[in-house]
Amino acid sequence: MRMVKSSQLYVRRAAASCSVCGAPAVVRISYARLDLCTLHFREFVERKIARILKKTGLSRARRVIVAVSGGKDSAAMLYALASMLKKDNVELIGVHINLGLGEYSEESMKKAHELCHRVGIPCIIVELEKVLGVTVPELAKRARRPTCSVCGLVKRYILNAVAVEADADYVATGHTADDIIAYTLKEFMFQNMDGVSKLAPSTSTVKGLAVGRVRPLYEVTERESLLYSLINGIPFHHSECPYRPRAPIEQRIKEFVNKLEEEHPGIKITYIRRLERNMGMYHSWGRESSYGRCKHCGLASSGVVCGFCRLTEKVTGKPLGEKVRAWIRGVLASLRAEESLMEVRGS
Amino acid sequence: MAKDVKRLHVVILPDNVKKNVELEGSRVKELVKALGMSIEEVVVVREGRPLHEDDIVEDGEELTVIRAASGG
Ligand SMILES: [Zn+2]
Ligand SMILES: [Zn+2]
């Protein structure tokens, strides 16, 4: 009874109406001077994603590895990619890495699995404890390195390894405009132009060594990705990582930039678009990155041994890159076998 | 004077912090401000439905404020 009453009130009292169609608006996009209903908000977000897909050539890719953390940003990205790329015949493969961060990782894994199932794509779940025998916190502790840097290294390595083994054209990650702004402002503060140049909407592939990155949410803010997930009923796990430092610089920058955006609507999108435009310049200012091949696992490395093989050798006595690659080959083979079985059944 | 004050029960996610707010305004954006947050970093939800920043809040109701910022 009360439910019905309050939702009637809600419709009648919607304070703003959609600038496009006049339906009740759910959001104001101040910088674009728009109020949008759920339908037109969805279109607004997907238009921004479409720009990046076109620019990076993602819609012409054959196969894309999609990094699915279980959180809202990668969830919004996968949902959008699955619906937007359906007509283009791009094969999407979801990859989730269970880092072994306790309850947080278990919940994230459940949501990642649920989401891949919902959008109808295969999901490769890499459980570190099962594949390597160690979790991220154990690796970090035994190597005496900060958990976040070990976590980043492990994620980058595994995503790239899956993409190389699957012969994918791209790895798509759910970094939002807010992430890109925070990371680049931090790099500017430390005058690390090489770091800035790596945060373009896409990075290039080095055949057989490293697969390029693409960031479809480059122009989509975190608030937009949250709202997109909510209105589309996309499953995600909303929680902070328990190992996150108390006040990471990126977090502080985000808070500051959002205050700035409130006072000066449009400053974030202006920054992001100009950053995109100037990426070539930052790239030329950066170090010339020449990739070699890790002598243990054969993947991209700046030295003789890659960071992942160095870390795992230090902790377990053996470099584990090749072991990870072999495990991935096995999973991909059984995935292919399953698919051809389904095709046989389907026909 | 006390007539214009709205008592709201707010749940903040993902922290899962519960707060009772006495709001001297009537709009969603005023609630966000009263919580010391920026409208750019949250989505306010009523019974599962996202609210517009200009929507009117009602005395005694329960609202969920979802923070958009995530660590990574
Ligand atoms: Zn509309
Ligand atoms: Zn290696």
Side-chain angles (χ1 to χ4, degrees):
Chain A
M1 187 65 202
R2 156 129 176 77
M3 282 266 295
V4 174
K5 197 178 154 207
S6 70
S7 56
Q8 278 171 349
L9 276 174
Y10 173 75
V11 172
R12 196 166 65 235
R13 289 199 188 172
S17 38
C18 177
S19 314
V20 184
C21 72
V26 288
V27 67
R28 171 163 297 152
I29 311 290
S30 290
Y31 75 83
R33 295 169 198 270
L34 289 173
D35 288 311
L36 297 172
C37 67
T38 52
L39 177 77
H40 288 109
F41 173 71
R42 186 178 165 173
E43 267 190 29
F44 172 79
V45 169
E46 289 179 0
R47 225 172 12 245
K48 291 209 264 190
I49 297 173
R51 251 178 67 101
I52 300 297
L53 300 191
K54 195 173 164 206
K55 214 174 193 161
T56 58
L58 198 76
S59 30
R60 292 187 305 276
R62 283 169 308 120
R63 188 173 299 133
V64 175
I65 297 298
V66 186
V68 187
S69 72
K72 68 177 196 311
D73 298 330
S74 62
M77 166 189 62
L78 175 57
Y79 184 89
L81 289 184
S83 63
M84 294 170 73
L85 294 175
K86 203 173 266 172
K87 60 177 192 318
D88 297 310
N89 260 326
V90 182
E91 184 191 0
L92 299 177
I93 301 175
V95 175
H96 174 80
I97 305 167
N98 185 323
L99 302 154
L101 310 173
E103 184 69 23
Y104 172 79
S105 287
E106 296 309 306
E107 287 302 314
S108 303
M109 182 167 73
K110 267 186 225 159
K111 292 294 180 189
H113 186 261
E114 188 184 338
L115 173 67
C116 289
H117 186 75
R118 166 88 71 89
V119 302
I121 69 160
C123 186
I124 297 178
I125 293 186
V126 186
E127 290 184 72
L128 285 193
E129 180 128 52
K130 289 186 186 157
V131 181
L132 298 181
V134 279
T135 61
V136 159
E138 287 162 2
L139 279 172
K141 198 177 165 199
R142 291 201 240 154
R144 295 207 184 90
R145 285 182 52 178
T147 312
C148 295
S149 90
V150 167
C151 187
L153 170 73
V154 167
K155 285 194 279 197
R156 276 193 303 276
Y157 183 84
I158 291 179
L159 286 174
N160 185 52
V162 175
V164 168
E165 295 298 346
D167 190 24
D169 303 301
Y170 270 123
V171 174
T173 60
H175 293 105
T176 60
D178 295 87
D179 293 326
I180 301 296
I181 293 169
Y183 297 164
T184 52
L185 283 180
K186 187 182 167 190
E187 299 291 17
F188 279 122
M189 280 179 187
F190 294 109
Q191 286 300 291
N192 179 11
M193 292 308 166
D194 196 45
V196 174
S197 75
K198 285 185 179 134
L199 291 159
S202 66
T203 63
S204 48
T205 293
V206 185
K207 190 76 185 149
L209 289 181
V211 174
R213 293 304 177 95
V214 60
R215 303 171 173 116
L217 303 185
Y218 203 82
E219 298 184 355
V220 177
T221 67
E222 277 184 322
R223 179 182 177 234
E224 288 166 354
S225 104
L226 170 62
L227 186 56
Y228 183 88
S229 296
L230 291 172
I231 66 174
N232 288 302
I234 303 170
F236 66 91
H237 177 50
H238 200 41
S239 177
E240 292 285 13
C241 173
Y243 287 85
R244 170 186 100 101
R246 203 164 304 156
I249 295 183
E250 291 85 350
Q251 191 61 42
R252 286 281 170 271
I253 298 178
K254 281 180 181 179
E255 288 162 12
F256 168 73
V257 171
N258 278 333
K259 293 231 158 58
L260 205 59
E261 176 70 24
E262 222 177 1
E263 287 171 31
H264 302 274
I267 198 139
K268 291 206 291 196
I269 194 73
T270 303
Y271 175 91
I272 276 287
R273 295 233 162 118
R274 291 192 181 164
L275 182 71
E276 265 179 84
R277 205 194 299 154
N278 289 335
M279 269 303 173
M281 185 174 69
Y282 295 128
H283 198 74
S284 67
W285 288 355
R287 274 176 280 131
E288 194 56 52
S289 52
S290 57
Y291 281 119
R293 203 177 270 276
C294 170
K295 74 168 182 183
H296 294 303
C297 71
L299 291 180
S301 172
S302 50
V304 182
V305 178
C306 76
F308 183 81
C309 286
R310 228 183 308 135
L311 172 76
T312 48
E313 183 167 28
K314 187 172 177 188
V315 171
T316 70
K318 265 191 218 153
L320 297 179
E322 184 45 46
K323 191 179 177 186
V324 170
R325 293 190 67 176
W327 185 88
I328 294 166
R329 280 194 293 274
V331 172
L332 284 168
S334 58
L335 203 70
R336 294 290 174 235
E338 240 171 73
E339 271 169 7
S340 52
L341 199 68
M342 292 224 294
E343 269 166 36
V344 172
R345 274 195 205 131
S347 61
Chain B
M1 185 182 96
K3 216 170 71 180
D4 290 352
V5 174
K6 293 185 175 178
R7 285 168 195 81
L8 302 166
H9 310 289
V10 179
V11 181
I12 302 167
L13 296 180
D15 331 49
N16 206 18
V17 170
K18 293 184 173 68
K19 272 187 184 169
N20 290 318
V21 180
E22 298 203 344
L23 186 67
E24 284 189 37
S26 56
R27 293 183 192 276
V28 167
K29 61 182 169 195
E30 289 163 327
L31 167 65
V32 172
K33 204 166 186 187
L35 290 167
M37 294 169 169
S38 150
I39 194 73
E40 197 41 39
E41 59 191 10
V42 296
V43 174
V44 181
V45 170
R46 171 194 286 146
E47 289 169 8
R49 304 176 67 156
L51 296 177
H52 188 277
E53 62 182 81
D54 281 348
D55 278 332
I56 307 288
V57 297
E58 321 235 355
D59 188 32
E61 77 173 326
E62 186 175 300
L63 296 169
T64 307
V65 176
I66 311 179
R67 293 193 303 116
S70 61

